[in-house]
Amino acid sequence: MLAPAAGATAPAAGAARQVWLRLRRRPSALVAAAVLGLLAVLAIAAPLLGSLEGQDANTYHDDLVDSARGGVPTGSFGGVSGDHWLGIEPGTGRDLFVRLLYGARISLLVAVGATVVQVAIGVAVGLAAGFGSRLLDGFLSRVTDVMVALPMLVLAIALTAVVPADFPRPLLLILVIGLLNWGSTARIVRAQTLSLKQLDFVAAARLGGSRTFRIARRELAPSLAAPVITFAAILLPSNIVIEASLSFLGVGVKPPTPSWGQMLSSAQIWFRADPMYVLLPAGLLFVTVLAFTVLGDAVRTALDPREASRLRIGTRKGAKR
């Protein structure tokens, strides 16, 4: 009865192995994954690495800054030394290496958490709109259009500014970004659902007496995995940038909790006196977003082999011309 659905999708283990084999053929994807894996390990091990260096994220070292010059770190390259591996923060003397590690925790936590919220809401709304009645589809589609049209960053600034200060800021950022930015995911899932529900395996499940919820869960959801995973990989770097932007504007993570965006915001007045304070968080943010983007593109191609074929055909045509 459900044989058409079983034949339409490969077993999960075999499909995952095929995706892994395709990813292995792309060195850029492996490098991006290694960079992100290393960054995640460093962020998780931030307390251990801080104790290894002998520093923490919030201890001030007034003796290491030159008060006569406004708080510029003493020594070369922003105060780099055996005790402070990447130097110190201007004005406060806090260890920059440990603060960057804890900032990575915030950026990755907010980006992953917000992406999970976006995908969960987007998949639920998109499935309901695409597989539900015409009235439900029309209502949810209009709601989705409104969510897509809303000025997300402006609303995020307003919401984060009015929430009480004692509310956990990382959780607030996850909820605000996730709840305001699920419209694009819902649109993609709805379009895919409208296409899939016309196929034979869905008709066979209906004829077999399966209810709507069971068909959506057992037949449609597995077929939506590839586009959803691909879009989630694209959402991650954009969410990192949104978190950094909100922290940069002063409505994200509050001091003394470190954040890359917050560090870039305070670095505006120090970029001439201490370039390292600007270059380190900006460089880490750039590398992280680039790695997520490269890996997301590789995952998209691995999950859709036809995309790689189209790219190869287009390259050959271009070469012949």
Side-chain angles (χ1 to χ4, degrees), residues 6 8-25 302-303 305:
T9 55
R17 186 171 182 274
Q18 289 297 322
V19 171
W20 167 242
L21 290 176
R22 296 185 194 116
L23 285 174
R24 284 180 57 184
R25 300 191 189 105
L303 289 171

Side-chain angles (χ1 to χ4, degrees), residues 296-319:
D297 181 69
V299 169
R300 175 178 60 84
T301 306
L303 289 171
D304 184 9
R306 293 172 297 178
E307 181 71 17
S309 300
R310 287 193 290 267
L311 289 174
R312 286 196 295 270
I313 292 171
T315 303
R316 292 194 192 105
K317 287 182 178 179

Side-chain angles (χ1 to χ4, degrees), residues 121-131 140 144 182 185-187 189-191 193:
I121 297 176
V123 169
V125 174
L127 263 175
F131 204 61
L140 292 178
T144 302
W182 53 264
T185 308
R187 277 184 170 180
V189 173
R190 175 184 176 272
T193 302

Side-chain angles (χ1 to χ4, degrees), residues 30-312:
L30 297 179
V31 172
V35 170
L36 294 174
L38 176 61
L39 185 63
V41 170
L42 291 176
I44 294 171
L48 177 62
L49 292 173
S51 62
L52 184 64
E53 188 193 24
Q55 305 295 334
D56 60 66
N58 297 317
T59 299
Y60 286 67
H61 299 89
D62 297 330
D63 57 318
L64 299 179
V65 296
D66 189 352
S67 57
R69 298 173 58 197
V72 176
T74 58
S76 304
F77 303 106
V80 174
S81 65
D83 294 327
H84 302 280
W85 298 345
L86 293 180
I88 57 173
E89 195 177 54
T92 64
R94 293 180 293 193
D95 186 78
L96 196 54
F97 173 71
V98 179
R99 290 186 66 79
L100 286 171
L101 293 182
Y102 279 95
R105 278 185 160 191
I106 296 296
S107 293
L108 294 177
L109 174 65
V110 171
V112 173
T115 301
V116 170
V117 174
Q118 288 171 256
V119 168
I121 297 176
V123 169
V125 174
L127 263 175
F131 204 61
S133 65
R134 182 174 298 181
L135 182 62
L136 181 62
D137 182 23
F139 172 73
L140 292 178
S141 295
R142 299 296 78 77
V143 173
T144 302
D145 291 341
V146 170
M147 296 304 300
V148 172
L150 287 175
M152 198 277 293
L153 192 59
V154 175
L155 285 176
I157 293 173
L159 290 174
T160 51
V162 300
V163 172
D166 57 347
F167 193 88
R169 302 305 286 190
L171 177 59
L172 175 62
L173 291 174
I174 289 172
L175 294 176
V176 167
I177 297 172
L179 294 175
L180 292 177
N181 208 22
W182 53 264
S184 299
T185 308
R187 277 184 170 180
I188 290 174
V189 173
R190 175 184 176 272
Q192 291 290 324
T193 302
L194 289 174
S195 177
L196 289 171
K197 76 176 186 178
Q198 306 298 328
L199 300 182
D200 293 340
F201 70 90
V202 176
R206 279 175 169 165
L207 291 174
S210 296
R211 296 181 179 274
T212 300
F213 179 75
R214 179 181 173 85
I215 296 174
R217 181 172 59 88
R218 296 289 299 273
E219 311 299 332
L220 294 178
S223 300
L224 291 170
V228 168
I229 292 173
T230 300
F231 195 64
I234 298 172
L235 286 174
L236 277 166
S238 65
N239 287 338
I240 289 178
V241 174
I242 292 172
E243 182 278 323
S245 301
L246 292 173
S247 297
F248 180 84
L249 295 171
V251 293
V253 177
K254 298 294 184 182
T257 304
S259 165
W260 291 347
Q262 178 196 112
M263 295 169 75
L264 285 172
S265 178
S266 60
Q268 293 180 87
I269 60 175
W270 299 103
F271 71 95
R272 291 183 181 274
D274 185 13
M276 291 293 291
Y277 188 41
V278 182
L279 294 177
L280 286 173
L284 280 173
L285 184 62
F286 173 78
V287 169
T288 304
V289 172
L290 179 62
F292 268 122
T293 304
V294 171
L295 186 60
D297 181 69
V299 169
R300 175 178 60 84
T301 306
L303 289 171
D304 184 9
R306 293 172 297 178
E307 181 71 17
S309 300
R310 287 193 290 267
L311 289 174
R312 286 196 295 270

